Amino acid sequence: MKELLRTLVEIPAPPGYEGLVRNQIREWIEPLVDEIRIDPLGNLLAVRNQANAPRLMLVAHMDEIGLMITHVDQQGFARFVALGGVMPIHCVGGRVRFLNGAQGVIGVEKNPASSEIPPLEKMFIDFGASSVEDCPVRVGDVAVFDRPFLDLGKRVVSKAMDDRVGVAVLIETLRRLEQSVFELYFVFSVQEEVGVRGATVAAFGVEPDLGLAVDVTATGDTPKGHRMEVRLGKGPAIKIRDAGMIADPRVVRWMIQTAEKAKIPYQREILEFGGTDARAIQLSRSGVPTGVLSIPCRYIHAPSEMVDMEDVENAVRLLLRLLRTSHPFELM
Amino acid sequence: MNTYSLSILLRRLTAPPGLSGYEDSIAQEVEALWKPLVDQVSRNRLGSVIGFRSGRGAAPRPRLMLVAHQDSIGLMVSGIQEGFLRLTEIGGVDHRILPGQLVQIHGKRTLSAVVVQPPPFLLPPEAQGGSVPLPYLWADTGLEESEVRRWVRVGDPVSFARNYLELGSDLVCSPSLDNRASLCALTLCLQELCSRQPVWDVWAVSSTQEEETLGGAVTSGFQIRPDIAVVIDVTHASGPSTPSHKTYPLGRGVTLGWGPTVHPKLYETFKDLAEKLEIPYKMEPMPRYSGTDADRLQTVAEGIPTMVISIPLRYMHTPVEIVSKKDIQRAARLITEFAATIEIGFMDKLRWEETPKT
Amino acid sequence: MGRNAENLNQPTISAEHLRLLEKLCNAVAVSGNEGEVRHLVMEQIKPYVHTMQIDALGNLLVYQREERSKPLTVMIAAHMDEVGFMLTSEEDKEEGIFRFELVGGIDPHHLAGKTVQAGKGRHKGVIGCKAIHLTTPEERRSSLSIEGLRVDFGGGGRAKVGDWGTFTTPFQKIGGSVRAKALDNRLGVAIAMELLKYEYPELNLVVAFTVQEEVGLRGAKVAAYALNPDIAVVLDCTPAYDLPLQVEDSFYPLENERYNTRLGRGAAIYLSDRATISDPRLVAHFVRTAEEHQIPYQFRQAGGGSTDAGTIHLQRAGIPTLSISVPGRYLHTSASLARISDWESTLRLVYFALQTLPVDILQSDR
């Protein structure tokens, strides 16, 4: 699964421009599903039929945070804005790669108070160009962080773990899955990082009875880090709440009971910031009971996001068990 | 069929904690109260309780949706350390009112606890001086750590201790009166409608998760597709140190919302009705948002003409919320009369001035 | 057909259009109270359209033709509302002095010392402030806040709590420019009205003149749900911050890099804002169209701000959407400024792009 993850994280896919990763996923999963299609906003929808079964929508988002060029000056330096939650602290000195292949480094205007983190407006991208003409990008071009995959053994590091690790979990689940008690919609969504937009329309189109997002969550196990209980390597997290939603307590119970029965390690997650595609599913149409299976991840939205391969493996195992276990509550 | 007095209804409706998302307790109470009053009671997929009462008009009948949210603000266990509980909020809670507050921890067992403020020398520098932020407060159950871990887990909801009080001749005080006061008015309305013959179908909705996502009203609205929606919620009552231009006196009537969220013709209809019934009211300007379920309900699907009626409430989102019983009765009477007298062809009157003749 | 003959059938901006824009801008339609503009639009477009409806929120939904038999249905959206204020409480009945709250994003610095109008009767009032003699130097350094400002209608006025109001600046044409209140978005409304006059061989045209854009893109949300188009194009007015840079640095030739758009450079095509990432297939088609017809265009710089596209593209199972705007300076103030040439470029770009929209545009990969 490490190789699957490596391939996925190295493909650039900023919000709204997910084509490359979508093509790769499609190529892999097309033989594994009964039906596959792309919706008007670019979500990839793959279906595993099951007659007379409740419909479960599983979602992992394809996009990663990125940036867009707003201006190229006479000397060939380019200004940019963020697509999604790019944090200035991670930018200075960073390298970016554009969909057209161009690469550049992020520089910053002279900063009088060097203790302060300058905002993105004070940064620019240097392509080694010396005029507008030989600058390899133009206004509107998009990029992502450029950083190679790092294998630390049990733990791996890369940009775009958020949420290619979720994508990898869904693909691996699909590969190992035999039977399910659900009709399954595997949705690889677009534009999550700019406000769960892809999942909003996908949920409307799919009309699920039940929803489950697979995404990353933060951890509280680094020096003077977040005050939260989730730790890397202690198992996938079952979300109870985040800033965007309260996970359906019935779904939470179903997930916990299934994990306990199968003796799969899990953690109870409360995230005080952020949100996932699950919020969009929960509020779709007449409402959908929805939960989130989270992969603990350190340094979210930095160019080096770290996950533990055991958590990833356990997430797949738990998901497989869930797909075989009928949920214990009545759907109306 | 029993009819209940306002005080009994209020006591019953404020007793369950029913924190946003964890609303089974209040939903069950609402179901029990509504079952004898309507043709059918059901629960929406997200947990809103929906009571349906068929109208007397010829089918297909227009639908009136009356909405009051059932969920309440509160807290949640976010961590356990040496037997002390760390807390996060559900809905909006001012952390300054928490020290010394009695709360209930809804774990495998319901435990009582007190919220405590640590002395400054046990706090990190950023939490010292001034009020102590929520992440640095503790809830102490008084139990040993092993006992605590046995009964409490991360994610357990925490509610304010229940404490229903009648003050003076007309005021009541309790946690969760936002929005159980309105739910009480809605229940009184359903009681009263039993002896009336509305021509429209009436859909009463006790909506879920208003304090978090407005999710209950939106999803119920999509499911019911009403022709008109009326949201009943609370608004700020005047009290010590409140700005007079943003608050309304207790016991002097309800407010009728006015602004982009409200259909102007619906406002006029309710205003005329209130005047006819001699129910005191004030216009409540809502220049941008109403801050209620109406904000998202209005834009469900093709759009729903929406009205907002509010009951003034003092000390909102604290455990000592205060409302006037008279105001609850007035809100109940106003929606009852609206539901009971709305004509089958009312939607034709709800047109904009420029509507083309067909 | 020769090139000149062809031009006769192309949309241009004439004196008649300027008169229409004047009426539209001088009308008062603060979010939630769009009746005046809606009335004007209905009166004018009646001869060109098949059906007009007003929905629950007050959107005007227009079907150009009865049937929807052509391969693509395209929705054009332009919001009718403008920023303004609402009177929220009467502070002094005798003097006619009211507290107010803003509706939509107005910088409070633009309020003091302006005449305003409020209510159905367009009652005139002023927003005053303390005389300079009565202020201290410290006070003059601080910003005027809405909490301290009032609308003064004089005694015996008929304004009342709940009335909507806005500025009174009259429309004026100045050389190649127009100056008025509410150019955002009466320019978009005027373009949408003009587009309804033409035939489009491959598409069903539906137009939503929307309400409540300035308070959260609300009208467009329900309009898009109801019209259920394949594609949507949003017409709006976007800020031009193309002012001189007041920073000097002798070592590096500085430019204004955050202009958003620039006056005189043509129609502004959106790529990404706070609420929408434009459909790249539509962007490519509009750029190609502009280049083929030599219509001036520019990219609106990516960043904050939003248009009706923000809610439209998320309706139902997703609606590919693009925003096109006329650049305008000083939007959301008492006096905004735009170039007639940009207005015309925007009109022509949308017109030609719709004429040549490939019916299979959504079959290609996004």
Side-chain angles (χ1 to χ4, degrees):
Chain A
M1 205 160 33
K2 224 182 239 179
E3 275 317 299
L4 171 67
L5 192 53
R6 179 201 293 270
T7 312
L8 280 169
V9 295
E10 287 183 349
I11 303 171
Y17 300 84
E18 297 88 352
L20 293 173
V21 74
R22 182 171 56 225
N23 291 345
Q24 177 63 73
I25 298 168
R26 185 179 186 144
E27 192 188 308
W28 281 331
I29 66 171
E30 197 150 9
L32 304 173
V33 296
D34 299 315
E35 192 189 319
I36 195 160
R37 65 173 194 271
I38 299 170
D39 79 5
L41 256 57
N43 296 301
L44 180 65
L45 279 57
V47 193
R48 281 276 282 256
N49 292 329
Q50 182 70 257
N52 304 319
R55 184 177 298 165
L56 169 60
M57 171 168 161
L58 294 157
V59 63
H61 67 89
M62 297 188 287
D63 61 317
E64 66 192 283
I65 55 168
L67 49 90
M68 181 182 268
I69 298 299
T70 55
H71 181 72
V72 179
D73 76 12
Q74 293 303 319
Q75 276 60 44
F77 293 96
R79 299 282 175 163
F80 63 95
V81 293
L83 294 175
V86 173
M87 290 180 277
I89 194 172
H90 298 307
C91 286
V92 181
R95 296 179 189 184
V96 291
R97 181 189 291 271
F98 285 76
L99 289 191
N100 68 5
Q103 285 171 282
V105 300
I106 299 177
V108 63
E109 294 171 7
K110 74 174 186 297
N111 194 16
S114 58
S115 61
E116 273 172 32
I117 302 162
L120 296 183
E121 292 79 43
K122 294 202 176 291
M123 298 181 194
F124 49 83
I125 300 170
D126 185 344
F127 296 90
S130 49
S131 68
V132 181
E133 289 69 35
D134 61 66
C135 180
V137 300
R138 52 174 282 180
V139 171
D141 282 350
V142 292
V144 297
F145 285 123
D146 192 11
R147 200 67 71 95
F149 182 84
L150 173 63
D151 186 347
L152 297 175
K154 192 162 160 283
R155 290 169 178 182
V156 292
V157 179
S158 171
K159 61 105 177 156
M161 279 301 173
D162 171 9
D163 181 31
R164 299 304 150 68
V165 69
V167 170
V169 166
L170 287 196
I171 293 172
E172 188 63 20
T173 301
L174 203 42
R175 284 176 175 170
R176 295 191 209 167
L177 181 70
E178 286 154 17
Q179 278 299 309
S180 174
V181 295
F182 299 100
E183 177 179 53
L184 294 172
Y185 273 72
F186 287 83
V187 174
F188 300 92
S189 66
V190 297
Q191 301 190 34
E192 192 271 353
E193 297 291 359
V194 289
V196 299
R197 296 182 196 159
T200 301
V201 300
F204 188 94
V206 169
E207 278 199 81
D209 298 303
L210 199 62
L212 202 57
V214 183
D215 207 335
V216 296
T217 191
T219 68
D221 59 353
T222 51
K224 296 195 175 178
H226 301 301
R227 293 167 68 86
M228 68 185 284
E229 303 271 297
V230 175
R231 282 161 165 63
L232 214 59
K234 298 283 182 196
I238 293 169
K239 191 184 295 285
I240 291 163
R241 75 156 304 161
D242 61 25
M245 79 180 305
I246 291 169
D248 196 299
R250 298 165 296 182
V251 177
V252 171
R253 211 177 307 132
W254 170 54
M255 293 170 77
I256 286 176
Q257 283 169 359
T258 307
E260 286 181 349
K261 221 178 261 172
K263 301 206 163 56
I264 298 168
Y266 73 92
Q267 312 182 64
R268 299 165 69 92
E269 172 205 343
I270 291 180
L271 183 67
E272 307 226 24
F273 49 91
T276 73
D277 278 342
R279 173 193 165 93
I281 306 175
Q282 185 179 51
L283 298 181
S284 186
R285 291 185 183 254
S286 304
V288 182
T290 303
V292 184
L293 181 60
S294 298
I295 315 296
C297 178
R298 288 183 189 158
Y299 324 121
I300 292 177
H301 287 197
S304 296
E305 299 172 326
M306 182 188 289
V307 299
D308 186 306
M309 288 311 291
E310 261 179 40
D311 291 339
V312 181
E313 173 62 26
N314 281 322
V316 175
R317 287 177 56 214
L318 178 53
L319 200 51
L320 282 164
R321 285 299 282 251
L322 287 168
L323 301 189
R324 288 197 293 262
T325 320
S326 194
H327 51 88
F329 58 91
E330 207 45 46
L331 289 169
M332 281 158 285
Chain B
M1 189 191 73
N2 297 316
T3 55
Y4 294 106
S5 72
L6 190 152
S7 288
I8 289 175
L9 278 180
L10 259 188
R11 270 177 198 278
R12 285 184 62 170
L13 287 169
T14 51
L19 270 56
S20 304
Y22 295 82
E23 298 163 42
D24 222 30
S25 55
I26 179 66
Q28 281 180 17
E29 188 65 52
V30 172
E31 279 173 339
L33 287 169
W34 286 7
K35 212 154 235 161
L37 307 178
V38 293
D39 298 337
Q40 205 178 8
V41 177
S42 61
R43 265 199 227 183
N44 165 280
R45 276 183 168 180
L46 284 196
S48 298
V49 177
I50 299 179
F52 166 70
R53 197 195 130 128
S54 175
R56 290 303 179 91
R61 280 177 297 276
R63 299 169 191 178
L64 171 64
M65 175 170 166
L66 304 170
V67 196
H69 73 84
Q70 65 187 16
D71 61 313
S72 177
I73 55 111
L75 303 159
M76 182 179 257
V77 177
S78 64
I80 305 172
Q81 209 173 323
E82 296 171 39
F84 292 87
L85 307 178
R86 211 164 35 229
L87 302 169
T88 183
E89 61 181 324
I90 290 183
V93 181
D94 185 343
H95 61 269
R96 293 175 304 175
I97 60 136
L98 289 176
Q101 213 58 258
L102 293 185
V103 294
Q104 294 170 310
I105 317 290
H106 302 278
K108 286 181 199 159
R109 241 182 215 181
T110 300
L111 304 175
S112 176
V114 60
V115 180
V116 295
Q117 174 179 311
F121 51 85
L122 294 181
L123 289 168
E126 67 268 24
Q128 290 176 12
S131 66
V132 180
L134 180 57
Y136 301 97
L137 298 174
W138 300 109
D140 187 350
T141 58
L143 301 176
E144 301 285 343
E145 181 175 4
S146 58
E147 278 284 283
V148 171
R149 289 197 180 273
R150 192 167 154 208
W151 304 119
V152 184
R153 290 167 307 175
V154 167
D156 287 340
V158 178
S159 64
F160 292 132
R162 303 286 106 180
N163 186 15
Y164 182 92
L165 268 175
E166 305 231 352
L167 299 175
S169 58
D170 180 43
L171 302 184
V172 288
C173 169
S174 167
S176 308
L177 279 170
D178 170 6
N179 188 31
R180 308 291 164 73
S182 306
L183 211 44
C184 176
L186 181 50
T187 307
L188 286 170
C189 161
L190 293 176
Q191 254 178 214
E192 184 62 29
L193 282 180
C194 288
S195 57
R196 309 285 290 267
Q197 315 283 329
V199 290
W200 280 42
D201 285 346
V202 175
W203 294 81
V205 176
S206 175
S207 66
T208 173
Q209 297 193 37
E210 190 269 355
E211 300 287 2
E212 282 284 327
T213 57
L214 311 183
V218 190
T219 54
S220 305
F222 193 91
Q223 185 178 337
I224 295 166
R225 299 299 183 90
D227 294 271
I228 288 175
V230 179
V231 172
I232 308 114
D233 209 329
V234 293
T235 187
H236 296 287
S238 48
S241 79
T242 55
S244 65
H245 62 285
K246 286 180 177 169
T247 54
Y248 302 88
L250 276 179
R252 312 250 192 90
V254 297
T255 72
L256 303 181
W258 170 258
T261 314
V262 167
H263 194 297
K265 287 278 161 67
L266 264 182
Y267 172 85
E268 269 172 41
T269 307
F270 272 91
K271 173 178 155 293
D272 293 347
L273 186 61
E275 278 165 11
K276 195 179 125 199
L277 300 169
E278 295 179 350
I279 295 173
Y281 73 92
K282 281 220 161 56
M283 168 196 269
E284 180 172 359
M286 300 170 168
R288 292 173 298 273
Y289 291 93
S290 71
T292 71
D293 273 337
D295 291 327
R296 292 198 62 189
L297 188 53
Q298 174 202 25
T299 60
V300 163
E302 286 100 346
I304 301 168
T306 300
M307 179 64 200
V308 182
I309 295 173
S310 302
I311 299 168
L313 176 144
R314 200 180 275 163
Y315 314 126
M316 202 180 288
H317 286 199
T318 74
V320 291
E321 296 180 326
I322 293 178
V323 293
S324 141
K325 287 190 278 190
K326 268 191 250 157
D327 289 341
I328 296 176
Q329 262 154 351
R330 287 162 177 152
R333 181 141 179 263
L334 189 58
I335 54 175
T336 304
E337 291 300 322
F338 180 76
T341 60
I342 186 169
E343 294 159 14
I344 204 81
F346 178 79
M347 288 310 285
D348 292 332
K349 288 191 195 157
L350 205 71
R351 293 173 159 224
W352 302 86
E353 278 159 30
E354 303 84 9
T355 300
K357 307 262 182 303
T358 43
Chain C
M1 212 190 304
R3 211 179 157 73
N4 287 338
E6 207 181 320
N7 280 342
L8 287 178
N9 297 320
Q10 293 174 10
T12 52
I13 302 300
S14 66
E16 189 193 328
H17 295 106
L18 279 159
R19 280 195 296 275
L20 173 67
L21 184 66
E22 175 168 3
K23 276 195 211 162
L24 286 169
C25 288
N26 288 345
V28 176
V30 179
S31 311
N33 186 39
E34 294 86 355
E36 267 191 38
V37 166
R38 185 169 54 223
H39 181 76
L40 257 171
V41 172
M42 290 177 75
E43 221 176 52
Q44 298 281 328
I45 64 174
K46 212 172 176 181
Y48 313 110
V49 305
H50 180 264
T51 317
M52 297 191 281
Q53 290 169 355
I54 306 179
D55 72 9
L57 270 67
N59 292 305
L60 175 61
L61 307 181
V62 181
Y63 300 80
Q64 193 187 25
R65 299 285 169 263
E66 183 176 10
E67 74 286 359
R68 238 165 127 155
S69 54
K70 293 172 190 165
L72 276 182
T73 297
V74 174
M75 167 183 176
I76 300 282
H79 72 86
M80 299 187 286
D81 60 316
E82 68 192 283
V83 296
F85 58 84
M86 182 187 274
L87 303 180
T88 53
S89 94
E90 190 169 23
E91 193 172 66
D92 188 330
K93 213 176 174 71
E94 297 259 297
E95 301 275 345
I97 290 175
F98 287 76
R99 281 179 180 269
F100 63 100
E101 281 182 45
L102 297 178
V103 178
I106 300 179
D107 175 353
H109 289 108
H110 286 282
L111 294 170
K114 303 292 188 315
T115 55
V116 295
Q117 49 189 335
K120 265 211 157 124
R122 299 237 190 141
H123 312 298
K124 296 289 181 294
V126 299
I127 300 176
C129 68
K130 210 163 27 167
I132 186 168
H133 321 72
L134 306 176
T135 60
T136 62
E138 294 76 52
E139 275 183 278
R140 291 197 294 275
R141 291 288 302 167
S142 69
S143 302
L144 290 167
S145 93
I146 181 92
E147 279 300 307
L149 295 172
R150 302 286 184 273
V151 184
D152 184 343
F153 290 96
R158 280 169 299 160
K160 56 186 192 308
V161 169
D163 280 353
W164 278 277
T166 188
F167 302 110
T168 56
T169 322
F171 178 93
Q172 199 176 348
K173 177 176 175 297
I174 310 162
S177 299
V178 287
R179 191 179 67 198
K181 72 165 189 68
L183 283 172
D184 172 8
N185 179 33
R186 304 299 148 67
L187 278 166
V189 168
I191 293 172
M193 291 167 73
E194 187 66 14
L195 289 169
L196 277 166
K197 294 181 184 168
Y198 296 87
E199 289 291 335
Y200 306 90
E202 303 284 10
L203 51 94
N204 314 301
L205 188 68
V206 290
V207 178
F209 295 93
T210 64
V211 297
Q212 303 190 25
E213 192 266 358
E214 302 288 2
V215 290
L217 324 178
R218 293 189 228 173
K221 180 173 185 281
V222 300
Y225 188 93
L227 294 172
N228 192 12
D230 300 304
I231 288 172
V233 177
V234 175
L235 302 176
D236 209 329
C237 200
T238 190
Y241 303 117
D242 53 344
L243 308 176
L245 207 62
Q246 301 187 54
V247 190
E248 278 164 36
D249 189 322
S250 54
F251 291 97
Y252 192 86
L254 291 174
E255 325 171 9
N256 173 355
E257 286 153 341
R258 295 174 65 191
Y259 41 81
N260 194 52
T261 57
R262 293 178 277 206
L263 251 53
R265 300 232 182 167
I269 298 175
Y270 278 62
L271 297 164
S272 170
D273 65 16
R274 184 183 55 71
T276 318
I277 294 169
S278 299
D279 190 288
R281 296 166 293 192
L282 294 175
V283 173
H285 173 68
F286 275 70
V287 167
R288 209 159 42 233
T289 306
E291 280 168 1
E292 263 167 33
H293 291 86
Q294 294 175 335
I295 300 166
Y297 76 96
Q298 56 187 322
F299 289 121
R300 175 205 182 267
Q301 287 188 299
S306 60
T307 72
D308 275 341
T311 48
I312 293 173
H313 82 286
L314 297 180
Q315 291 313 293
R316 295 187 178 261
I319 300 169
T321 304
L322 177 67
S323 294
I324 306 283
S325 279
V326 183
R329 288 188 192 141
Y330 328 123
L331 306 181
H332 291 206
T333 74
S334 55
S336 45
L337 187 86
R339 291 271 149 81
I340 297 168
S341 63
D342 293 329
W343 173 15
E344 186 170 85
S345 301
T346 308
L347 169 64
R348 286 165 59 83
L349 175 56
V350 179
Y351 167 79
F352 283 113
L354 293 185
Q355 287 291 337
T356 58
L357 192 68
V359 293
D360 59 353
I361 186 163
L362 297 181
Q363 262 72 67
S364 57
D365 234 17
R366 176 173 168 141

